[in-house]
Amino acid sequence: MHETLEDFALNNGLRDVSPALKLALGLCCMLLSVSSPAPVAPLLIACSLTLVVLFSAGIPAGFYLKLLTIPASFAAMSILVILFLTGGGEVLVSVSLPGLPLTVTTGGANLAVLLLARISGGMCALFFISLTTPATEIFSLMRRCGLPAAFIDLSMLIYRYIFVFISEAEMIYRSQVMRLGYGSLREAIRSFGMLAGALFLRTWESGERLMVAMDARCYDGRFGALDETPPVSAPALVAVALYLAALLGIACLTMQTTIF
Amino acid sequence: MEGFLPGPWWQIWYVISLPFIIVGLHQLNRLVKTQRDTLPALAVAGAFVFVLSSLKLPSVTGSCSHPTGTGLSAILFGPCIAAVLGLIVLIYQALFLAHGGITTLGANVFSMGIAGPAAAYLIYRAGTRAGVNTYATVFLAAAAANIVTYIVTSVQLALAFPGTAGFLGAFQAFAAIFAITQVPLAIVEGAVIALVFKYIVTLKPDILTKLNLLSESAIERLREAAA
């Protein structure tokens, strides 16, 4: 799944838009979602960014929906807890299970709706960034922001090793399963420990080899990657600014809105 | 989960986490300058945390349970560098797997990147000083990193959503829900990390001597005990 996400990031309709602008748009939408006191603005963010991702970036709807179901299942469960835990206002629904009276009040329902809206707005903004901006461009942005070189190098290496890890882990896991390594819980813990240990050491060794290879190519603690990020175009900047201003306006106007 | 933690809590956790990250970055810079060959080791530890903590199980509290894997990096590199690794891993998880989020990053870095590793590091230090069996110490440290992460997460959730029960009541509710999945997971994680440590000792002990974790004589003793 990681690869397909990165594939889309490298190959979508908004690839030529400046990554700084995309990142700024996503981050501003997240901030607006989380600080909006009413559910209207976050829901609007979720809808509009979904349209942008589906039509401007051209991400297939099926793939996008599948991505959204991951956080949706977690959100659903946690919001249920909040719904019953939070009180205040009139009682809407009252379910009495033996020994466990459950009531939903207007206060709880409003908070649940608000959280749901905030999560959808935030998640859509997050997916907007990860589906349209490749990791390499985020690294060069980080460098331009003046973050320490060691931190950026480390992030790049970790990024690389995640994929090395996953492919090695799959290989080892498959061969362990074929040898009945996960037959019982005891066996499973032993096998998983073996897998993790072997993985750690094998990746470590490949890391050492990488350092030797890079030293041979005059690595001095800094990856000299080409910075080929597209510049910010004026119309795009104006469009983003207008969009954010409109959202801010709507968020201010609808501040008092509640559903229940 | 993005957008789940309301203001002012997400800002507060950012502010609390920031000094640890700054110290960690400082230590990282120094370590990479003096011992450049530790860079791949750091990256491997980071990727290890990523892979382990991606194996997540849903939990009813808006956050979720998963092994954290941070215990090992805290033992190997100290808690502040583990915090930096935790930060990088959590950013990747937010971007690529939709685990956590950017506004909740501060809170997550504090629970998984700072509190958990700090507990692991302290236990490991105390254990080695007291002369407890090394594997038992590693087991305890890794399990503690996991448990402490979830205790802190429960505190964070209870502070943000006290509900009608107040802070203490909400904390008990959140912690109880986490405990169902987390206590067995922490034990499994402790066992797995101890096994990983055993493989490192038997197959590649020079890593541990280079990081000044174990003396050569200590490793000799451990290897003899294993054989």
Side-chain angles (χ1 to χ4, degrees):
Chain A
M1 197 193 86
H2 320 275
E3 275 161 314
T4 38
L5 206 75
E6 185 69 3
D7 284 343
F8 283 119
L10 281 168
N11 206 350
N12 67 76
L14 294 173
R15 179 73 168 84
D16 295 330
V17 178
S18 154
L21 195 65
K22 286 184 280 194
L23 210 60
L25 173 63
L27 291 178
C28 288
C29 285
M30 275 176 213
L31 284 182
L32 266 173
S33 294
V34 78
S35 35
S36 164
V40 182
L43 284 178
L44 214 62
I45 288 174
C47 297
S48 50
L49 284 184
T50 301
L51 290 179
V52 169
V53 164
L54 293 184
F55 295 105
S56 304
I59 308 294
F63 180 74
Y64 186 67
L65 268 181
K66 229 198 279 168
L67 273 182
L68 279 180
T69 50
I70 311 170
S73 53
F74 290 110
M77 285 189 293
S78 42
I79 281 170
L80 263 179
V81 174
I82 300 283
L83 190 63
F84 290 114
L85 254 171
T86 316
E90 294 162 41
V91 174
L92 284 179
V93 188
S94 171
V95 191
S96 51
L97 297 175
L100 190 72
L102 292 173
T103 49
V104 179
T105 60
T106 48
N110 279 326
L111 184 64
V113 170
L114 176 61
L115 275 179
L116 194 66
R118 278 181 180 167
I119 291 174
S120 2
M123 289 320 300
C124 287
L126 198 60
F127 282 133
F128 170 75
I129 295 178
S130 49
L131 282 168
T132 60
T133 319
T136 45
E137 294 190 345
I138 297 181
F139 292 137
S140 50
L141 266 180
M142 274 158 65
R143 185 169 295 141
R144 262 190 280 167
C145 291
L147 285 170
F151 179 76
I152 297 170
D153 272 14
L154 188 57
S155 316
M156 284 191 188
L157 281 175
I158 290 180
Y159 184 68
R160 166 86 191 111
Y161 282 129
I162 288 171
F163 297 109
V164 176
F165 248 111
I166 289 173
S167 60
E168 292 249 333
E170 245 167 48
M171 223 159 59
I172 300 175
Y173 179 74
R174 234 177 272 147
S175 53
Q176 282 182 328
V177 168
M178 278 206 286
R179 291 171 179 79
L180 303 176
Y182 292 87
S184 64
L185 181 69
R186 218 187 135 74
E187 273 301 303
I189 291 178
R190 212 178 81 89
S191 297
F192 192 72
M194 214 190 266
L195 180 143
L199 207 57
F200 197 80
L201 292 173
R202 283 177 75 158
T203 322
W204 190 299
E205 273 161 12
S206 83
E208 279 179 343
R209 282 199 298 275
L210 179 75
M211 282 316 270
V212 172
M214 288 203 308
D215 279 342
R217 288 163 180 77
C218 303
Y219 174 67
D220 60 350
R222 222 200 105 109
F223 280 111
L226 274 179
D227 193 358
E228 283 175 342
T229 50
V232 182
S233 75
L237 185 66
V238 172
V240 168
L242 280 179
Y243 172 73
L244 288 175
L247 278 177
L248 189 65
I250 291 168
C252 290
L253 282 177
T254 57
M255 213 176 265
Q256 304 296 330
T257 319
T258 49
I259 293 177
F260 299 102
Chain B
M1 177 116 16
E2 188 60 65
F4 192 72
L5 210 57
W9 290 109
W10 65 265
Q11 293 99 325
I12 290 176
W13 291 114
Y14 259 93
V15 172
I16 294 178
S17 301
L18 198 64
F20 293 94
I21 294 295
I22 291 173
V23 173
L25 280 176
H26 197 73
Q27 288 183 356
L28 177 71
N29 255 330
R30 215 176 37 210
L31 184 68
V32 171
K33 278 217 180 80
T34 51
Q35 274 182 292
R36 230 160 43 72
D37 47 343
T38 48
L39 197 65
L42 283 163
V44 170
F48 193 72
V49 174
F50 180 91
V51 172
L52 269 190
S53 56
S54 304
L55 307 166
K56 74 171 181 180
L57 303 166
S59 155
V60 254
T61 40
S63 189
C64 45
S65 312
H66 51 72
T68 55
T70 48
L72 190 64
S73 45
I75 293 173
L76 289 177
F77 305 108
C80 289
I81 290 183
V84 176
L85 291 177
L87 170 72
I88 298 175
V89 166
L90 284 165
I91 293 177
Y92 283 151
Q93 291 199 332
L95 283 178
F96 304 129
L97 298 177
H99 297 186
I102 301 296
T103 54
T104 51
L105 193 62
N108 283 338
V109 166
F110 187 77
S111 61
M112 189 175 127
I114 295 169
Y121 185 73
L122 290 178
I123 289 182
Y124 181 78
R125 268 296 152 99
T128 38
R129 219 164 271 160
V132 183
N133 176 301
T134 311
Y135 297 128
T137 320
V138 172
F139 169 81
L140 282 179
N146 192 318
I147 291 282
V148 168
T149 299
Y150 282 90
I151 292 175
V152 173
T153 308
S154 307
V155 170
Q156 290 172 334
L157 284 170
L159 282 171
F161 298 104
T164 40
F167 167 72
L168 273 180
F171 170 71
Q172 278 168 356
F174 284 121
I177 298 169
F178 271 136
I180 301 170
T181 51
Q182 213 55 42
V183 171
L185 250 179
I187 293 170
V188 170
E189 179 174 346
V192 167
I193 299 282
L195 277 172
V196 170
F197 205 76
K198 188 181 147 200
Y199 281 103
I200 297 178
V201 169
T202 39
L203 295 174
K204 215 163 159 52
D206 50 315
I207 294 170
L208 300 172
T209 43
K210 213 188 282 172
L211 291 167
N212 290 326
L213 272 176
L214 289 174
S215 61
E216 271 173 43
S217 57
I219 285 175
E220 212 41 59
R221 243 183 304 121
L222 282 174
R223 296 183 80 167
E224 271 166 23

